[in-house]
């Protein structure tokens, strides 16, 4: 008999599971609260400008390709992926500009010119981090539901590469002696919403992933990924119900048996897949009597990622700056500490600017462009009064764009704009504390210590998305969808028909 699956949320995690399970013959329904597909990986338009709401960097695109291949499809028939190289422009102290590239010969030359004596360190980084990446990635493709999952040969062989005892910043000190260069290879911890001085050294693989595997843009924006996934779900007979919020997971005798919708309807199913933001879902969709490990109180004690202040601008010209630009605060460590430790706004914040129209003319009318600005800020566990600070931070960000980023006349060219603060992430997008990169990725919240893919509080419930293993970021979120789908199939005694499997 066909088994039914209810999936809560049409983010990349939920859609990965929906694609896989619908393709394997399950009767899949995805319930999505918003009236659009994709969760944080969605788009919105302002007049004729199209913006990605969240992700702008696609890495490890082969994982996505393999998911499509396993359903008998070619990803290229759905989306058009373009590599961005040089990877990004990095601006230090408003003047020192560095353009890391995947061309290793050029990279050594540029490092030697800008950071004399560090060329060898770069070569060592590329060699050692490749080995580390190859050992660690397979460990992120399997579940950690039991302590004994740490005893597999795969995991034991990776222990020497974990570097969990040192910080990411100190790890990079093994390769480089220049502070700016260390920042160029550690700022990626921001993708996890963490400080390089606190993030485990394990995550040096993030900068290796960029330098070794590349950074990709999807024409039309990364939102095209989730739109393509939704198309596949429907082609496979699955149903996606937009504007259909789940009110509660129905749990009986320790088992999830379906969902109650906000409109009062009850939908029974054999399995429930939870993609909504983990802490938000626990607090709002699961009744207290069913929780022991993830009660509201215990969730408060967990560590969370930072949040973001977003400024999306439609401008009536195209700026001659690269696709990706990161403008670091003059005192980057102070800025990071203010975000993660002191939870206050920085006088001198770091900002990321995406100028995607230089690579993709589909996002704005001819001769015009979309400018996406992301400012990492504290999550809502601090006391920032966003009502007051919102317009002040907007002005500060525009000043930085004018003075440090080469967008001198930006104020005169803005035609449309939208701002999202951590308050909107929490209240409108249902992200706990506005911590957009989910639970932090400290050692105590990774692998077995992260909420399990086969959820431990009650049976027949599986987690996907940034709040479960392997963690936040599109490649790992896709992996969570794969891992949880395989667990469901295993439980139902279905042999997994994978044609290809992700290899590092
Ligand atoms: C600003 C920003 C930039 C980012 N940049 C990158 C990047 O460049 N590269 C990268 O790899 N990652 C990036 N990320 C991180 C991550 O990849 C995305 O946030 C990703 O979309 C998270 O996917 P998810 O499946 O965990 O959850 P989501 O995308 O949040 O999806 C969860 C879905 O559940 C729905 N939902 C919630 N409650 C209910 C309910 N009660 N009933 C029904 N549905 C519900 C939500 O509406 C949402 O659609 C970024 C994130 C943000 C916010």
């Amino acid at each position: 008999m066909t088994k039914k699956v209810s999936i809560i949320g049409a983010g990349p995690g939920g859609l990965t599971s929906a694609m896989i399970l619908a393709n394997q013959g399950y009767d899949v329904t995805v319930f999505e609260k918003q009236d659009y597909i994709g969760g944080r990986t969605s788009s919105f338009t302002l007049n004729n400008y199209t913006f990605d709401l969240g992700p702008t960097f696609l890495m490890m695109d082969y994982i996505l390709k393999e998911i499509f291949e396993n359903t008998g499809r070619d990803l290229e028939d759905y989306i058009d992926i373009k590599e961005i190289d040089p990877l990004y422009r990095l601006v230090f102290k408003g003047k020192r500009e560095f353009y890391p590239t995947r061309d290793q010969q050029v990279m050594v030359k540029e490092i030697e010119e800008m950071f004399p004596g560090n060329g060898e360190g770069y070569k060592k980084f590329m060699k050692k981090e490749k080995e580390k990446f190859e050992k660690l990635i397979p460990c992120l493709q399997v579940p950690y539901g039991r302590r004994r999952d740490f005893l597999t040969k795969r995991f034991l062989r990776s222990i020497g590469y974990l570097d969990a005892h040192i910080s990411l910043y100190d790890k990079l000190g093994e390769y480089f002696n220049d502070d700016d260069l260390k920042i160029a290879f550690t700022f990626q911890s921001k993708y996890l919403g963490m400080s390089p001085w606190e993030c485990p050294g394990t995550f040096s693989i993030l900068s290796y992933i960029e330098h070794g595997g590349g950074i990709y843009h999807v024409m039309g924006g990364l939102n095209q990924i989730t739109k393509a996934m939704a198309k596949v779900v429907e082609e496979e007979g699955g149903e996606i119900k937009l504007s259909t919020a789940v009110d509660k997971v129905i749990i009986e005798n320790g088992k999830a048996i379906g969902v109650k919708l906000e409109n009062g309807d009850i939908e029974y199913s054999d399995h429930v897949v939870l993609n909504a933001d983990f802490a938000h879902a626990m607090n709002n969709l699961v009744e207290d009597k069913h929780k022991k490990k993830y009660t509201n109180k215990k969730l408060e004690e967990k560590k969370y990622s930072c949040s973001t202040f977003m400024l999306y601008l439609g401008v009536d010209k195209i700026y001659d700056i690269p696709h990706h630009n990161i403008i670091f605060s003059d005192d980057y460590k102070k800025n990071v500490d203010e975000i993660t430790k002191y939870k206050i706004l920085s006088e001198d914040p770091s900002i990321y600017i995406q100028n995607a129209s230089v690579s993709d003319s589909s996002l704005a009318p001819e001769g015009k462009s979309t400018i996406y600005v992301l400012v990492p800020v504290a999550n809502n566990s601090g006391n920032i009064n966003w009502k007051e600070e919102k317009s002040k931070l907007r002005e500060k960000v525009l000043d930085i764009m004018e003075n440090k980023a080469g967008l001198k006349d930006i104020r005169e060219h803005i035609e449309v704009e939208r701002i999202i603060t951590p308050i909107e992430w929490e209240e409108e997008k249902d992200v706990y504390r506005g911590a957009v990169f989910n639970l932090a990725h400290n050692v105590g919240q990774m692998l077995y210590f992260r909420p399990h893919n086969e959820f431990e509080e009650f049976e027949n419930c599986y987690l996907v998305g940034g709040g479960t293993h392997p963690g936040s970021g599109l490649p790992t979120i896709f992996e969570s969808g794969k891992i949880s789908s395989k667990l469901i199939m295993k439980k139902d005694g279905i042999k997994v028909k994978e044609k290809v499997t992700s290899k590092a």
Side-chain angles (χ1 to χ4, degrees), residues 8-14 31-34 36 38-41 53-58 191 222 244-247 275-277 280 285 308 310 372 374 425 429-431 436-438 464-467 472-475 477:
I8 308 172
F31 300 99
E32 170 54 56
K33 179 172 178 176
Q34 305 288 350
Y36 55 85
R40 280 163 258 188
T41 309
L53 176 71
T56 54
F57 282 48
L58 175 65
Y191 306 161
L222 267 66
T244 309
V246 169
D247 178 42
N275 179 216
D277 183 75
H280 167 84
L285 308 188
T308 59
M310 310 295 299
Y372 160 125
L374 181 159
W425 283 123
K429 309 287 180 199
D430 296 312
V431 177
V436 289
F437 307 107
N438 231 299
V464 293
S472 179
L474 289 173
I477 287 170

Short mmCIF file of all heavy atoms in Angstrom, two decimals, residues 8-14 31-34 36 38-41 53-58 191 222 244-247 275-277 280 285 308 310 372 374 425 429-431 436-438 464-467 472-475 477, ligand 1:
data_model
loop_
_atom_site.label_atom_id
_atom_site.label_comp_id
_atom_site.label_asym_id
_atom_site.label_seq_id
_atom_site.Cartn_x
_atom_site.Cartn_y
_atom_site.Cartn_z
N ILE A 8 6.32 19.37 6.37
CA ILE A 8 5.98 20.71 6.87
C ILE A 8 7.05 21.69 6.42
O ILE A 8 8.14 21.72 6.97
CB ILE A 8 5.87 20.72 8.42
CG1 ILE A 8 4.93 19.62 8.89
CG2 ILE A 8 5.42 22.10 8.91
CD1 ILE A 8 4.90 19.43 10.40
N GLY A 9 6.76 22.44 5.36
CA GLY A 9 7.69 23.45 4.87
C GLY A 9 8.25 23.11 3.51
O GLY A 9 8.71 22.00 3.27
N ALA A 10 8.18 24.10 2.60
CA ALA A 10 8.71 23.92 1.24
C ALA A 10 10.02 24.68 1.09
O ALA A 10 10.26 25.38 0.10
CB ALA A 10 7.69 24.38 0.21
N GLY A 11 10.91 24.57 2.10
CA GLY A 11 12.28 25.09 1.97
C GLY A 11 13.10 24.03 1.24
O GLY A 11 12.59 22.96 0.89
N PRO A 12 14.40 24.31 1.01
CA PRO A 12 15.23 23.34 0.29
C PRO A 12 15.30 21.98 0.97
O PRO A 12 15.38 20.95 0.29
CB PRO A 12 16.61 24.01 0.24
CG PRO A 12 16.55 25.17 1.16
CD PRO A 12 15.12 25.55 1.33
N GLY A 13 15.22 21.95 2.31
CA GLY A 13 15.25 20.67 3.02
C GLY A 13 13.99 19.86 2.72
O GLY A 13 14.05 18.69 2.32
N GLY A 14 12.84 20.48 2.88
CA GLY A 14 11.57 19.78 2.66
C GLY A 14 11.42 19.35 1.22
O GLY A 14 10.94 18.24 0.93
N PHE A 31 3.15 20.92 3.01
CA PHE A 31 2.32 22.02 3.52
C PHE A 31 3.23 23.22 3.75
O PHE A 31 4.20 23.14 4.53
CB PHE A 31 1.65 21.63 4.83
CG PHE A 31 0.75 20.42 4.67
CD1 PHE A 31 1.21 19.15 5.04
CD2 PHE A 31 -0.52 20.54 4.14
CE1 PHE A 31 0.41 18.03 4.88
CE2 PHE A 31 -1.33 19.43 3.97
CZ PHE A 31 -0.88 18.17 4.34
N GLU A 32 2.96 24.31 3.08
CA GLU A 32 3.81 25.51 3.20
C GLU A 32 2.97 26.69 3.68
O GLU A 32 1.96 27.02 3.08
CB GLU A 32 4.49 25.81 1.86
CG GLU A 32 5.20 27.15 1.79
CD GLU A 32 6.22 27.39 2.90
OE1 GLU A 32 7.13 26.57 3.07
OE2 GLU A 32 6.08 28.42 3.62
N LYS A 33 3.43 27.28 4.76
CA LYS A 33 2.69 28.39 5.36
C LYS A 33 2.62 29.63 4.46
O LYS A 33 1.59 30.28 4.34
CB LYS A 33 3.37 28.76 6.68
CG LYS A 33 2.73 29.90 7.42
CD LYS A 33 3.37 30.04 8.79
CE LYS A 33 2.78 31.21 9.53
NZ LYS A 33 3.31 31.32 10.89
N GLN A 34 3.74 29.93 3.81
CA GLN A 34 3.78 31.14 2.97
C GLN A 34 3.09 30.89 1.63
O GLN A 34 2.82 29.74 1.28
CB GLN A 34 5.24 31.55 2.71
CG GLN A 34 6.08 31.74 3.96
CD GLN A 34 5.71 33.01 4.75
OE1 GLN A 34 4.96 33.87 4.28
NE2 GLN A 34 6.24 33.12 5.96
N TYR A 36 4.51 31.31 -1.13
CA TYR A 36 5.58 31.10 -2.12
C TYR A 36 6.42 29.90 -1.73
O TYR A 36 6.46 29.49 -0.57
CB TYR A 36 6.45 32.36 -2.25
CG TYR A 36 7.04 32.83 -0.93
CD1 TYR A 36 8.23 32.30 -0.44
CD2 TYR A 36 6.39 33.81 -0.16
CE1 TYR A 36 8.76 32.72 0.76
CE2 TYR A 36 6.93 34.24 1.05
CZ TYR A 36 8.11 33.69 1.51
OH TYR A 36 8.63 34.10 2.70
N GLY A 38 10.05 27.82 -1.34
CA GLY A 38 11.50 28.00 -1.15
C GLY A 38 11.97 28.46 0.21
O GLY A 38 13.17 28.47 0.46
N GLY A 39 11.07 28.90 1.08
CA GLY A 39 11.50 29.34 2.42
C GLY A 39 12.51 30.47 2.29
O GLY A 39 12.29 31.44 1.56
N ARG A 40 13.65 30.32 2.97
CA ARG A 40 14.68 31.36 2.90
C ARG A 40 15.36 31.34 1.53
O ARG A 40 16.03 32.28 1.16
CB ARG A 40 15.71 31.14 4.02
CG ARG A 40 15.22 31.65 5.36
CD ARG A 40 16.01 31.10 6.53
NE ARG A 40 15.30 30.02 7.21
CZ ARG A 40 15.66 29.46 8.35
NH1 ARG A 40 16.75 29.87 8.96
NH2 ARG A 40 14.95 28.49 8.89
N THR A 41 15.18 30.24 0.76
CA THR A 41 15.75 30.18 -0.60
C THR A 41 14.63 30.48 -1.61
O THR A 41 14.26 29.64 -2.44
CB THR A 41 16.41 28.82 -0.85
OG1 THR A 41 17.31 28.56 0.25
CG2 THR A 41 17.23 28.79 -2.12
N LEU A 53 15.88 36.14 -1.74
CA LEU A 53 15.66 36.54 -0.34
C LEU A 53 16.90 36.22 0.50
O LEU A 53 17.35 37.02 1.30
CB LEU A 53 14.44 35.78 0.22
CG LEU A 53 14.13 36.01 1.69
CD1 LEU A 53 13.57 37.42 1.91
CD2 LEU A 53 13.12 34.98 2.21
N GLY A 54 17.45 35.01 0.33
CA GLY A 54 18.55 34.55 1.17
C GLY A 54 19.78 34.14 0.38
O GLY A 54 20.53 35.00 -0.11
N PRO A 55 19.99 32.83 0.17
CA PRO A 55 21.25 32.35 -0.40
C PRO A 55 21.63 32.98 -1.74
O PRO A 55 20.78 33.16 -2.62
CB PRO A 55 21.01 30.85 -0.58
CG PRO A 55 20.03 30.51 0.48
CD PRO A 55 19.14 31.71 0.59
N THR A 56 22.92 33.29 -1.86
CA THR A 56 23.47 33.83 -3.11
C THR A 56 24.72 33.04 -3.55
O THR A 56 25.23 33.27 -4.63
CB THR A 56 23.86 35.31 -2.95
OG1 THR A 56 24.75 35.40 -1.82
CG2 THR A 56 22.65 36.20 -2.72
N PHE A 57 25.24 32.18 -2.68
CA PHE A 57 26.41 31.35 -3.00
C PHE A 57 25.94 29.90 -3.10
O PHE A 57 25.45 29.36 -2.11
CB PHE A 57 27.43 31.34 -1.85
CG PHE A 57 28.31 32.54 -1.71
CD1 PHE A 57 27.80 33.81 -1.75
CD2 PHE A 57 29.68 32.38 -1.51
CE1 PHE A 57 28.62 34.92 -1.58
CE2 PHE A 57 30.51 33.48 -1.34
CZ PHE A 57 29.98 34.75 -1.38
N LEU A 58 26.13 29.29 -4.26
CA LEU A 58 25.90 27.84 -4.34
C LEU A 58 27.26 27.17 -4.38
O LEU A 58 28.11 27.51 -5.19
CB LEU A 58 25.10 27.48 -5.60
CG LEU A 58 24.93 25.97 -5.84
CD1 LEU A 58 24.09 25.31 -4.73
CD2 LEU A 58 24.28 25.69 -7.19
N TYR A 191 28.89 31.88 7.31
CA TYR A 191 27.83 31.11 6.64
C TYR A 191 27.10 30.24 7.66
O TYR A 191 26.00 29.77 7.42
CB TYR A 191 28.37 30.19 5.53
CG TYR A 191 29.22 30.86 4.46
CD1 TYR A 191 30.07 30.10 3.66
CD2 TYR A 191 29.18 32.23 4.24
CE1 TYR A 191 30.85 30.69 2.68
CE2 TYR A 191 29.96 32.82 3.26
CZ TYR A 191 30.80 32.04 2.48
OH TYR A 191 31.58 32.61 1.52
N LEU A 222 19.36 32.09 -6.93
CA LEU A 222 19.37 30.74 -6.34
C LEU A 222 17.97 30.24 -6.02
O LEU A 222 17.75 29.05 -5.83
CB LEU A 222 20.27 30.70 -5.09
CG LEU A 222 21.72 30.27 -5.39
CD1 LEU A 222 22.45 31.29 -6.25
CD2 LEU A 222 22.50 30.01 -4.12
N THR A 244 -0.77 27.21 3.41
CA THR A 244 -1.40 26.16 4.21
C THR A 244 -0.50 25.87 5.42
O THR A 244 0.36 24.99 5.37
CB THR A 244 -1.60 24.87 3.36
OG1 THR A 244 -2.26 25.25 2.15
CG2 THR A 244 -2.43 23.83 4.08
N ALA A 245 -0.72 26.61 6.48
CA ALA A 245 0.15 26.47 7.66
C ALA A 245 -0.26 25.26 8.49
O ALA A 245 -1.46 24.99 8.66
CB ALA A 245 0.06 27.72 8.51
N VAL A 246 0.75 24.56 9.00
CA VAL A 246 0.49 23.48 9.95
C VAL A 246 0.38 24.11 11.34
O VAL A 246 1.19 24.97 11.71
CB VAL A 246 1.62 22.44 9.90
CG1 VAL A 246 1.53 21.46 11.06
CG2 VAL A 246 1.59 21.71 8.56
N ASP A 247 -0.64 23.69 12.07
CA ASP A 247 -0.83 24.23 13.43
C ASP A 247 -0.13 23.34 14.45
O ASP A 247 0.54 23.82 15.37
CB ASP A 247 -2.35 24.31 13.69
CG ASP A 247 -2.63 24.81 15.09
OD1 ASP A 247 -1.94 25.76 15.50
OD2 ASP A 247 -3.52 24.25 15.75
N ASN A 275 10.40 20.47 8.24
CA ASN A 275 11.39 21.37 7.62
C ASN A 275 11.33 22.78 8.20
O ASN A 275 12.27 23.56 8.04
CB ASN A 275 11.15 21.40 6.10
CG ASN A 275 12.10 22.33 5.34
OD1 ASN A 275 11.73 22.97 4.37
ND2 ASN A 275 13.34 22.39 5.76
N ALA A 276 10.23 23.11 8.88
CA ALA A 276 10.14 24.45 9.48
C ALA A 276 11.32 24.64 10.42
O ALA A 276 11.86 23.67 10.96
CB ALA A 276 8.82 24.56 10.24
N ASP A 277 11.73 25.88 10.62
CA ASP A 277 12.86 26.20 11.51
C ASP A 277 12.72 25.39 12.82
O ASP A 277 11.66 25.41 13.46
CB ASP A 277 12.82 27.70 11.81
CG ASP A 277 13.97 28.14 12.67
OD1 ASP A 277 15.09 28.23 12.15
OD2 ASP A 277 13.73 28.38 13.88
N HIS A 280 11.66 27.07 16.21
CA HIS A 280 10.32 27.65 16.02
C HIS A 280 9.27 26.53 16.02
O HIS A 280 8.23 26.63 16.67
CB HIS A 280 10.27 28.43 14.70
CG HIS A 280 8.87 28.79 14.29
ND1 HIS A 280 8.24 29.91 14.79
CD2 HIS A 280 7.98 28.16 13.50
CE1 HIS A 280 7.01 29.96 14.29
NE2 HIS A 280 6.83 28.90 13.51
N LEU A 285 4.71 24.03 17.13
CA LEU A 285 3.95 22.97 16.47
C LEU A 285 3.88 21.68 17.28
O LEU A 285 3.20 20.74 16.87
CB LEU A 285 4.56 22.65 15.09
CG LEU A 285 4.81 23.80 14.12
CD1 LEU A 285 5.23 23.28 12.75
CD2 LEU A 285 3.59 24.68 13.96
N THR A 308 20.75 38.51 10.35
CA THR A 308 21.21 39.42 9.29
C THR A 308 20.25 40.59 9.15
O THR A 308 19.04 40.45 9.36
CB THR A 308 21.29 38.72 7.92
OG1 THR A 308 19.99 38.21 7.57
CG2 THR A 308 22.29 37.60 7.90
N MET A 310 19.09 43.00 6.18
CA MET A 310 19.14 42.92 4.72
C MET A 310 18.67 44.23 4.10
O MET A 310 17.66 44.80 4.54
CB MET A 310 18.20 41.80 4.22
CG MET A 310 18.35 40.46 4.90
SD MET A 310 19.94 39.66 4.62
CE MET A 310 19.93 39.48 2.85
N TYR A 372 22.14 43.58 -3.52
CA TYR A 372 21.69 42.86 -2.33
C TYR A 372 22.75 43.06 -1.26
O TYR A 372 23.93 42.79 -1.52
CB TYR A 372 21.54 41.40 -2.74
CG TYR A 372 21.52 40.29 -1.70
CD1 TYR A 372 20.46 39.39 -1.66
CD2 TYR A 372 22.58 40.08 -0.82
CE1 TYR A 372 20.45 38.32 -0.76
CE2 TYR A 372 22.57 39.03 0.08
CZ TYR A 372 21.52 38.16 0.10
OH TYR A 372 21.53 37.10 0.99
N LEU A 374 23.93 42.27 2.68
CA LEU A 374 23.69 41.47 3.89
C LEU A 374 24.66 41.96 4.98
O LEU A 374 25.87 42.01 4.74
CB LEU A 374 23.92 39.99 3.58
CG LEU A 374 23.72 38.94 4.66
CD1 LEU A 374 23.49 37.56 4.01
CD2 LEU A 374 24.85 38.84 5.66
N TRP A 425 12.68 38.54 10.33
CA TRP A 425 13.05 37.11 10.17
C TRP A 425 12.27 36.29 11.19
O TRP A 425 11.76 35.21 10.89
CB TRP A 425 14.55 36.89 10.39
CG TRP A 425 15.45 37.28 9.25
CD1 TRP A 425 16.48 38.17 9.29
CD2 TRP A 425 15.42 36.78 7.89
NE1 TRP A 425 17.09 38.26 8.05
CE2 TRP A 425 16.46 37.42 7.18
CE3 TRP A 425 14.62 35.86 7.21
CZ2 TRP A 425 16.73 37.17 5.82
CZ3 TRP A 425 14.87 35.61 5.87
CH2 TRP A 425 15.91 36.26 5.19
N LYS A 429 8.98 35.42 9.06
CA LYS A 429 9.53 34.23 8.39
C LYS A 429 9.66 33.05 9.35
O LYS A 429 10.23 32.02 8.99
CB LYS A 429 10.91 34.54 7.77
CG LYS A 429 10.93 35.78 6.88
CD LYS A 429 10.23 35.54 5.55
CE LYS A 429 10.26 36.78 4.67
NZ LYS A 429 9.26 36.74 3.61
N ASP A 430 9.20 33.23 10.58
CA ASP A 430 9.15 32.13 11.56
C ASP A 430 10.50 31.51 11.87
O ASP A 430 10.66 30.29 11.95
CB ASP A 430 8.18 31.04 11.08
CG ASP A 430 6.76 31.57 11.01
OD1 ASP A 430 6.31 32.19 11.97
OD2 ASP A 430 6.10 31.37 9.96
N VAL A 431 11.51 32.37 12.05
CA VAL A 431 12.85 31.89 12.38
C VAL A 431 13.13 32.26 13.84
O VAL A 431 13.16 33.45 14.20
CB VAL A 431 13.91 32.55 11.46
CG1 VAL A 431 15.30 32.11 11.85
CG2 VAL A 431 13.62 32.22 9.99
N VAL A 436 19.12 33.22 11.52
CA VAL A 436 18.82 32.68 10.20
C VAL A 436 19.67 31.49 9.78
O VAL A 436 19.31 30.76 8.87
CB VAL A 436 18.91 33.77 9.10
CG1 VAL A 436 17.77 34.74 9.21
CG2 VAL A 436 20.26 34.47 9.13
N PHE A 437 20.84 31.30 10.45
CA PHE A 437 21.66 30.14 10.08
C PHE A 437 21.47 29.02 11.11
O PHE A 437 22.33 28.16 11.27
CB PHE A 437 23.13 30.55 9.93
CG PHE A 437 23.30 31.72 8.99
CD1 PHE A 437 23.61 32.99 9.47
CD2 PHE A 437 23.13 31.56 7.62
CE1 PHE A 437 23.76 34.07 8.61
CE2 PHE A 437 23.26 32.64 6.75
CZ PHE A 437 23.58 33.90 7.24
N ASN A 438 20.35 29.14 11.83
CA ASN A 438 19.89 28.06 12.70
C ASN A 438 20.69 27.87 13.99
O ASN A 438 21.37 28.78 14.43
CB ASN A 438 19.81 26.75 11.89
CG ASN A 438 18.47 26.10 12.07
OD1 ASN A 438 18.11 25.75 13.19
ND2 ASN A 438 17.70 26.00 11.01
N VAL A 464 14.49 17.72 8.56
CA VAL A 464 15.32 18.14 7.43
C VAL A 464 15.53 19.65 7.56
O VAL A 464 14.75 20.33 8.21
CB VAL A 464 14.65 17.83 6.06
CG1 VAL A 464 14.55 16.35 5.81
CG2 VAL A 464 13.27 18.49 5.94
N GLY A 465 16.59 20.15 6.91
CA GLY A 465 16.86 21.60 6.96
C GLY A 465 18.05 21.90 7.84
O GLY A 465 18.75 20.99 8.33
N GLY A 466 18.28 23.19 8.07
CA GLY A 466 19.48 23.63 8.77
C GLY A 466 19.54 23.26 10.25
O GLY A 466 20.61 23.32 10.85
N GLY A 467 18.40 22.86 10.85
CA GLY A 467 18.39 22.60 12.29
C GLY A 467 18.77 21.18 12.67
O GLY A 467 18.88 20.85 13.85
N SER A 472 23.45 23.84 8.70
CA SER A 472 22.93 24.92 7.86
C SER A 472 23.81 25.14 6.62
O SER A 472 24.99 24.86 6.65
CB SER A 472 22.87 26.20 8.70
OG SER A 472 22.40 27.26 7.93
N GLY A 473 23.22 25.65 5.55
CA GLY A 473 23.93 25.84 4.27
C GLY A 473 23.33 24.88 3.26
O GLY A 473 22.99 23.74 3.61
N LEU A 474 23.19 25.32 2.02
CA LEU A 474 22.45 24.51 1.05
C LEU A 474 22.99 23.09 0.86
O LEU A 474 22.20 22.13 0.92
CB LEU A 474 22.37 25.23 -0.30
CG LEU A 474 21.44 26.46 -0.31
CD1 LEU A 474 21.55 27.21 -1.62
CD2 LEU A 474 19.99 26.05 -0.06
N PRO A 475 24.31 22.88 0.68
CA PRO A 475 24.76 21.50 0.45
C PRO A 475 24.39 20.56 1.61
O PRO A 475 23.93 19.44 1.39
CB PRO A 475 26.28 21.63 0.33
CG PRO A 475 26.53 23.06 0.01
CD PRO A 475 25.42 23.85 0.61
N ILE A 477 22.00 21.05 3.79
CA ILE A 477 20.54 20.94 3.87
C ILE A 477 20.05 19.90 2.86
O ILE A 477 19.18 19.07 3.16
CB ILE A 477 19.90 22.33 3.66
CG1 ILE A 477 20.14 23.19 4.91
CG2 ILE A 477 18.41 22.21 3.35
CD1 ILE A 477 19.78 24.65 4.77
C1 LIG B 1 20.09 35.93 4.29
C2 LIG B 1 20.54 34.50 4.12
C3 LIG B 1 21.60 34.21 3.28
C4 LIG B 1 22.00 32.88 3.10
N1 LIG B 1 23.01 32.63 2.22
C5 LIG B 1 23.34 31.36 1.94
C6 LIG B 1 24.24 31.07 0.87
O1 LIG B 1 24.72 32.00 0.19
N2 LIG B 1 24.54 29.77 0.61
C7 LIG B 1 23.99 28.75 1.33
O2 LIG B 1 24.30 27.58 1.05
N3 LIG B 1 23.11 28.98 2.35
C8 LIG B 1 22.76 30.25 2.66
N4 LIG B 1 21.82 30.52 3.63
C9 LIG B 1 21.40 29.43 4.57
C10 LIG B 1 20.37 28.38 4.10
O3 LIG B 1 20.85 27.72 2.97
C11 LIG B 1 18.99 28.90 3.78
O4 LIG B 1 18.52 29.66 4.83
C12 LIG B 1 17.98 27.77 3.51
O5 LIG B 1 16.86 28.26 2.82
C13 LIG B 1 17.46 27.10 4.78
O6 LIG B 1 16.70 26.01 4.37
P1 LIG B 1 15.75 25.15 5.32
O7 LIG B 1 15.20 24.06 4.47
O8 LIG B 1 16.47 24.77 6.55
O9 LIG B 1 14.61 26.16 5.81
P2 LIG B 1 13.72 27.28 5.12
O10 LIG B 1 14.29 27.70 3.82
O11 LIG B 1 13.51 28.34 6.12
O12 LIG B 1 12.33 26.54 4.88
C14 LIG B 1 11.44 26.24 5.93
C15 LIG B 1 10.03 26.41 5.43
O13 LIG B 1 9.09 26.00 6.46
C16 LIG B 1 7.96 26.85 6.37
N5 LIG B 1 7.17 26.80 7.60
C17 LIG B 1 7.47 27.30 8.83
N6 LIG B 1 6.46 27.07 9.70
C18 LIG B 1 5.51 26.41 9.01
C19 LIG B 1 4.21 25.89 9.37
N7 LIG B 1 3.73 26.03 10.59
N8 LIG B 1 3.48 25.27 8.41
C20 LIG B 1 3.96 25.13 7.14
N9 LIG B 1 5.17 25.61 6.76
C21 LIG B 1 5.93 26.23 7.69
C22 LIG B 1 8.58 28.22 6.13
O14 LIG B 1 7.63 29.14 5.64
C23 LIG B 1 9.68 27.86 5.11
O15 LIG B 1 9.19 27.95 3.80
C24 LIG B 1 21.36 31.82 3.80
C25 LIG B 1 20.29 32.14 4.65
C26 LIG B 1 19.88 33.45 4.79
C27 LIG B 1 18.69 33.75 5.64
#
